[in-house]
Amino acid sequence: MSYDRHNVFARILRGEIPCKKVYENAHALAFHDINPLMPVHVLVIPKGEYVSFVDFSAQASAEEQAGFVQAIGAAAKACGVAAGGYRLIANNGADAHQEVPHLHVHIFGGKPIPGRMIKQEGR
Ligand code: AMP
């Protein structure tokens, strides 16, 4: 999928629309989701033009990839869920119902999260 420079996260990165920033480094930005589904619901995005993990992992530099991963951990710590626990989700593509075509990871937390997406009986 080609990158749409008019998507809402591209506009946040260009400063055209505001966000409630949680954390930022040279390669990534974390901010509160505008429609939180949990007490803590933060999004972490790379600053580069990537739609999904497929193109990010194939095309982003080692520094960009490291910066993005570092920002996810730092944002989890900054928003206060590191001790209690949190869930990371990244919707990629149509089947996953990705709404914004700029790579992002959701951080959910702030209370016990219902459901286990991967249940391994007997382990
Ligand atoms: P996804 O379905 O994984 O693409 O999720 C996109 C997320 O972006 C949703 O949780 C939206 O609430 C969130 N979102 C959309 N616009 C904004 C915005 N301007 N600021 C913060 N979050 C947003």
Side-chain angles (χ1 to χ4, degrees):
M1 181 196 268
S2 64
Y3 185 81
D4 172 12
R5 297 196 74 236
H6 300 293
N7 79 75
V8 66
F9 295 166
R11 298 185 63 205
I12 287 174
L13 285 167
R14 289 196 296 269
E16 294 170 4
I17 57 176
C19 72
K20 285 172 61 182
K21 185 162 78 175
V22 170
Y23 179 81
E24 182 172 15
N25 67 22
H27 298 295
L29 175 67
F31 52 92
H32 289 280
D33 195 291
I34 202 166
N35 182 26
L37 302 177
M38 289 282 294
V40 172
H41 184 174
V42 165
L43 302 171
V44 189
I45 65 174
K47 290 186 175 177
E49 297 183 349
Y50 304 104
V51 178
S52 77
F53 267 105
V54 168
D55 52 337
F56 183 71
S57 60
Q59 293 163 26
S61 68
E63 290 77 15
E64 287 176 288
Q65 297 197 34
F68 184 52
V69 171
Q70 188 268 335
I72 294 169
K77 195 171 177 186
C79 66
V81 298
Y86 53 94
R87 180 172 290 164
L88 304 179
I89 290 180
N91 298 314
N92 286 241
D95 281 355
H97 305 287
Q98 180 178 4
E99 289 175 14
V100 179
H102 181 114
L103 175 62
H104 52 285
V105 168
H106 298 253
I107 302 175
F108 293 110
K111 71 175 187 181
I113 302 169
R116 293 173 60 184
M117 298 174 103
I118 300 170
K119 193 170 184 182
Q120 295 176 305
E121 297 289 352
R123 293 195 186 180

